[in-house]
Amino acid sequence: MSLVAIVGRPNVGKSTLFNRLVGTRQAIVDETAGVTRDRHYGKCEWNGKEFSVVDTGGWTSNSDDVFEEAIRRQVVIAVEEADVILFMVEASTGITDYDSQIAELLRKSGKPVVLCVNKVDSGDKVYDTYQFYGLGLGEIWGISAANGSGTGDLLDEIMRVLPEDTTADDDYPDLPHIAIVGKPNVGKSSLTNALLGEERNIVTPVAGTTRDSISSHYNKFGHEFILVDTAGMRRKTKVNEDLEFYSVMRAIRSIERADVCILMIDANAGLESQDMSIFNLIVRNRKGCVLVVNKWDTVTKDSNTMKEYDRALRSRLAPFDDIPIVFTSVINKQRIMDVLDAVAHVHENYSRRIPTARLNEALLPEIENYPPPAWKGKYVKIKYITQLPTRFPAFAFFCNLPQYVKAPYKRFLENKLREHFDLLGCPVTIFIRAK
């Protein structure tokens, strides 16, 4: 999936535009310069095409010695990693020294740049935009991130310059891609080395040794896939080095390009908030998931420890708790082949096509026994179900009044799908459509 990075000096409205593009209020917006200290990442869909957006705004040190060096570093990283740079300036202030410096970096990069002039809130302000042709970055797009005017044309331009989506590891385009993700120092590189049977990746007790996503072709014991060891994803507050920011961006892209993600956690720490953030990222990207609890040899156990631990994990992961959980000790090579078997099973479920006749035969009687609740005296009748031709499991339910089918009933439909068909480890997406 393509990545668009929003860059620019502080307080030009990057976070406001980010919130508008991804359709949520993830990023805090304030008139104070430099409010955005952490990385915001989201998805934007336009005309049926989806791309990722990163708000790189206001990455500053704590000094008041304004932002020159910090901005320069963030732009260099964004330019290196993104497919398209959305460079944001402000109509009323004109071209500042910072704008000129960023523009110079962008011109040298050779990457597609979309120059966006914000705070064009009225017809008169349009005349303030022409001066930005002086930056030498080509066409100008005047918008108001606050009220949304001009953003449609801006998105059309982004779509025009976005490169064709290329998947990683073109040498093996047909093989499943498995990404090993998790916090730093949970044993991701050790698992990769144990599976490959060689010291492919450097392993140290220092968190953050792996700085890049490293791909390996795995072909043993009847399994063949591309294994990607990613950099550990830290809490946003901990991402304070240039290299850390770069690593997190690479890890996010690895999740996007994967078919199945192995989420590793530390048995002693349990499922922490950062693990949940990574899990939510996997679900949001609609990827298959296997949860691996590593360092199980260090836990004091009795006969019920594993069962209770498993139950506690599933209650935290709810509602998407239908995933395989494998307890391992990578250092002792304990149950690591179970991880491979679980990954193969999830990938098989992830790519399965269920015939329409079987879907209707299994689910229509269930729907008849428990129909959608009536809404203001109107009855919803679901007539037909089919699986959509997407990479992930997605199903369309055709009915007379799709607007009256609410989230709880969609959850019921998902549970019935899981009951009748093996969808272990796969997020299921349900669409209700008019017949």
Side-chain angles (χ1 to χ4, degrees):
M1 186 177 294
S2 301
L3 183 67
V4 175
I6 306 174
V7 302
R9 59 187 173 79
N11 210 25
V12 291
K14 296 186 295 297
S15 294
T16 308
L17 179 63
F18 172 84
N19 287 340
R20 183 164 291 282
L21 293 182
V22 303
T24 62
R25 290 189 59 81
Q26 284 184 31
I28 300 166
V29 177
D30 194 88
E31 288 181 12
T32 312
V35 165
T36 305
R37 293 293 173 92
D38 49 21
R39 304 286 53 76
H40 293 294
Y41 156 86
K43 290 283 183 58
C44 177
E45 188 179 339
W46 187 250
N47 289 342
K49 190 172 178 183
E50 205 174 42
F51 59 91
S52 300
V53 188
V54 172
D55 170 20
T56 61
W59 188 20
T60 67
S61 58
N62 291 325
S63 70
D64 294 331
D65 190 11
V66 215
F67 310 98
E68 187 172 341
E69 189 52 38
I71 292 169
R72 188 179 184 84
R73 288 200 306 269
Q74 95 177 19
V75 173
V76 166
I77 294 168
V79 165
E80 175 125 6
E81 192 54 23
D83 298 301
V84 173
I85 311 296
L86 185 54
F87 177 27
M88 203 163 183
V89 291
E90 186 184 338
S92 53
T93 53
I95 299 174
T96 67
D97 290 346
Y98 297 134
D99 294 331
S100 300
Q101 288 166 20
I102 295 170
E104 189 178 343
L105 277 169
L106 297 180
R107 281 196 303 274
K108 288 175 182 173
S109 73
K111 289 275 177 85
V113 178
V114 178
L115 179 56
C116 152
V117 184
N118 192 27
K119 305 185 185 178
V120 182
D121 303 314
S122 63
D124 297 342
K125 295 267 181 76
V126 173
Y127 299 110
D128 293 334
T129 65
Y130 300 133
Q131 61 190 307
F132 292 99
Y133 281 109
L135 291 172
L137 291 170
E139 193 57 55
I140 288 168
W141 303 90
I143 67 156
S144 169
N147 64 35
S149 74
T151 49
D153 291 339
L154 178 70
L155 281 164
D156 286 341
E157 175 63 10
I158 291 171
M159 287 291 126
R160 191 184 70 76
V161 298
L162 268 182
E164 284 301 310
D165 195 17
T166 56
T167 53
D169 303 291
D170 291 326
D171 295 342
Y172 305 98
D174 300 325
L175 290 184
H177 284 64
I178 313 300
I180 304 175
V181 297
K183 291 183 308 188
N185 212 21
V186 291
K188 298 185 296 298
S189 296
S190 299
L191 177 62
T192 308
N193 290 342
L195 291 173
L196 296 170
E198 59 185 76
E199 293 297 309
R200 174 75 171 79
N201 301 336
I202 299 166
V203 177
T204 72
V206 180
T209 303
T210 305
R211 294 295 197 170
D212 215 335
S213 300
I214 301 165
S215 300
S216 311
H217 180 207
Y218 182 90
N219 188 6
K220 292 179 184 175
F221 309 110
H223 298 295
E224 187 178 11
F225 43 73
I226 301 297
L227 200 59
V228 185
D229 176 19
T230 65
M233 287 188 275
R234 295 168 181 261
R235 286 190 184 86
K236 289 174 180 173
T237 51
K238 304 283 186 194
V239 181
N240 50 17
E241 298 174 48
D242 305 354
L243 214 47
E244 286 288 357
F245 173 39
Y246 181 82
S247 301
V248 171
M249 286 177 80
R250 294 305 294 260
I252 285 168
R253 299 198 80 172
S254 297
I255 289 175
E256 288 179 343
R257 288 171 170 164
D259 298 302
V260 178
C261 296
I262 298 172
L263 172 57
M264 289 190 78
I265 66 169
D266 187 324
N268 297 293
L271 199 63
E272 297 183 321
S273 59
Q274 179 64 2
D275 300 310
M276 286 304 297
S277 299
I278 300 169
F279 178 72
N280 290 332
L281 197 60
I282 294 167
V283 174
R284 209 162 67 218
N285 279 283
R286 303 182 183 115
K287 303 300 179 184
C289 183
V290 174
L291 182 61
V292 173
V293 183
N294 192 26
K295 306 184 185 179
W296 190 241
D297 56 311
T298 63
V299 173
T300 309
K301 296 178 274 292
D302 60 33
S303 57
N304 284 323
T305 307
M306 189 181 285
K307 198 180 287 184
E308 287 165 6
Y309 204 110
D310 185 288
R311 194 182 302 123
L313 285 176
R314 292 186 191 282
S315 70
R316 278 291 308 276
L317 296 171
F320 180 37
D321 56 2
D322 187 22
I323 65 171
I325 299 175
V326 185
F327 294 83
T328 67
S329 166
V330 173
I331 246 171
N332 298 333
K333 299 205 168 38
Q334 186 183 4
R335 283 191 284 272
I336 59 171
M337 294 312 295
D338 291 357
V339 176
L340 285 186
D341 294 339
V343 166
H345 184 186
V346 169
H347 183 258
E348 188 187 327
N349 295 344
Y350 188 75
S351 46
R352 175 181 291 127
R353 307 294 310 161
I354 303 171
T356 301
R358 277 192 63 205
L359 271 174
N360 285 276
E361 189 183 305
L363 292 178
L364 286 179
E366 298 278 11
I367 291 166
E368 203 173 318
N369 288 339
Y370 189 82
W375 185 266
K376 297 181 179 174
K378 293 179 179 176
Y379 292 90
V380 181
K381 289 181 181 168
I382 296 173
K383 297 288 188 187
Y384 177 75
I385 308 132
T386 188
Q387 185 174 0
L388 298 173
T390 51
R391 280 188 67 189
F392 52 89
F395 301 88
F397 289 73
F398 292 88
C399 67
N400 56 339
L401 298 163
Q403 68 273 29
Y404 296 142
V405 179
K406 306 299 180 187
Y409 196 76
K410 284 187 184 178
R411 175 66 58 200
F412 164 78
L413 294 175
E414 182 184 329
N415 289 340
K416 290 301 172 188
L417 274 166
R418 291 188 185 279
E419 231 173 78
H420 288 277
F421 305 101
D422 186 1
L423 293 165
L424 180 72
C426 304
V428 171
T429 307
I430 287 175
F431 298 94
I432 310 293
R433 292 181 173 168
K435 69 179 171 65

